[in-house]
Structures are given as C-alpha cells and as structure tokens.
Amino acid sequence: MSIKDQPVSCFQIDEEKAWNVLGHKYQPVIDSDNSYAWISFDPPGTFVPPHSHGENDEHIFVLEGEYELYLDGRWQTARAGDTVRWPKGSLHAYKILTDKPAKGIFWVSPAGQLSKLFAELHNVENPEEVVELSRKREIFFAKPGEAPGYK
C-alpha cells in the first residue's frame, strides 16, 4: 500500500484495510524497503508483551490516549504528541491501562518483514501461534520471567 492509497490526514480505521492482531487493529500506511508504518488502534486493556526486533528500530507518534511503555526494565507513560524510539534489539512492550483507547502511528526502519507478519497474524487467536509466526519474521517475544520489571 502506498501513501497515495491512504491520505495521511485520515486517522479513522478502514476495516477492509486493517489487520486484527489479538484485539489491536493495525492499518498500514507506508510500506517500502526503508520504512514500514501503520496506525495502531489499541482498545482499553490491550497490550503487546515484551519483545525485540532482530532487524529494525521501532518508533511511535502518539495520536490519542495514553500508552504505558516498557523499555529494558523501565516503565513510562506516553501521551498524545509524544514520540518514542525503541532501538533494534531492545526489549520493549506496551499496555493500555486507561478506560479510553489509544491510537498511534507506529513505524519500523528498515521495514524488515513486519508487513508480511501482520498479514499472517490477521485474525489468529492463539497467542502461542502469534509468538511462533513472529519468531520466523525476526520478532522475538520474551518468555515469562525474562523481562525485568514487567508486570
């Protein structure tokens, strides 16, 4: 999908273009060799457990709501207008702890295999299958107890 297919100013979900990944909706906006970007629609109570990327840095620009962010054993809150960078190889995660959804523009650089992974994860309901498919695409989830300070 190119930027021409999705206006940058459109931050509403398009159900036909979005992937459902364990309760999150990911709508791609840029897919190139250098960068892959998506809008993440994250309902209250959802989370992405600690994981690392084998080949890319990850960034977030928070559009709405609050993200509780985990990076290498520490937690912090990001709100609308904040930007975040998780370096390649870092152990990171996020949670939505408020009663309101959060929305952010996420991107990785280089693009790596995330576009293919999200397509494979669409509507997969088994978390163990998500972990296995992710590993094959260079996304590595921590095992319980391997993430200091993660609760």
Side-chain angles (χ1 to χ4, degrees):
M1 171 177 290
S2 73
I3 195 71
K4 293 179 216 170
D5 298 325
Q6 175 72 33
V8 174
S9 62
C10 179
F11 295 120
Q12 299 302 314
I13 193 161
D14 181 338
E15 293 289 343
E16 292 182 19
K17 295 180 182 177
W19 290 307
N20 174 26
V21 180
L22 295 176
H24 306 263
K25 294 285 185 171
Y26 297 153
Q27 184 167 322
V29 289
I30 297 173
D31 192 353
S32 73
D33 291 341
N34 296 323
S35 184
Y36 177 70
W38 66 99
I39 300 173
S40 185
F41 299 85
D42 301 292
T46 58
F47 63 95
V48 174
H51 65 284
S52 64
H53 299 248
E55 56 186 32
N56 37 38
D57 291 335
E58 184 171 2
H59 308 265
I60 306 169
F61 178 78
V62 180
L63 296 168
E64 296 176 10
E66 293 184 3
Y67 286 88
E68 294 301 319
L69 306 170
Y70 175 85
L71 174 61
D72 292 332
R74 294 188 52 222
W75 286 94
Q76 63 183 23
T77 302
R79 295 176 179 86
D82 289 344
T83 58
V84 177
R85 177 180 170 263
W86 288 319
K88 173 177 79 171
S90 67
L91 192 59
H92 59 277
Y94 72 84
K95 297 179 181 182
I96 309 304
L97 298 178
T98 64
D99 61 352
K100 296 185 181 190
K103 187 185 307 181
I105 300 173
F106 286 62
W107 68 98
V108 293
S109 181
Q113 302 179 57
L114 222 48
S115 175
K116 291 176 185 170
L117 175 61
F118 288 164
E120 293 167 352
L121 296 179
H122 180 59
N123 288 330
V124 172
E125 295 181 12
N126 181 336
E128 292 174 7
E129 186 177 351
V130 169
V131 169
E132 181 60 24
L133 289 168
S134 298
R135 184 189 59 74
K136 292 177 181 177
R137 297 287 183 191
E138 301 286 319
I139 306 297
F140 307 102
F141 283 91
K143 294 177 182 168
E146 289 183 341
Y150 184 84
K151 296 179 185 177

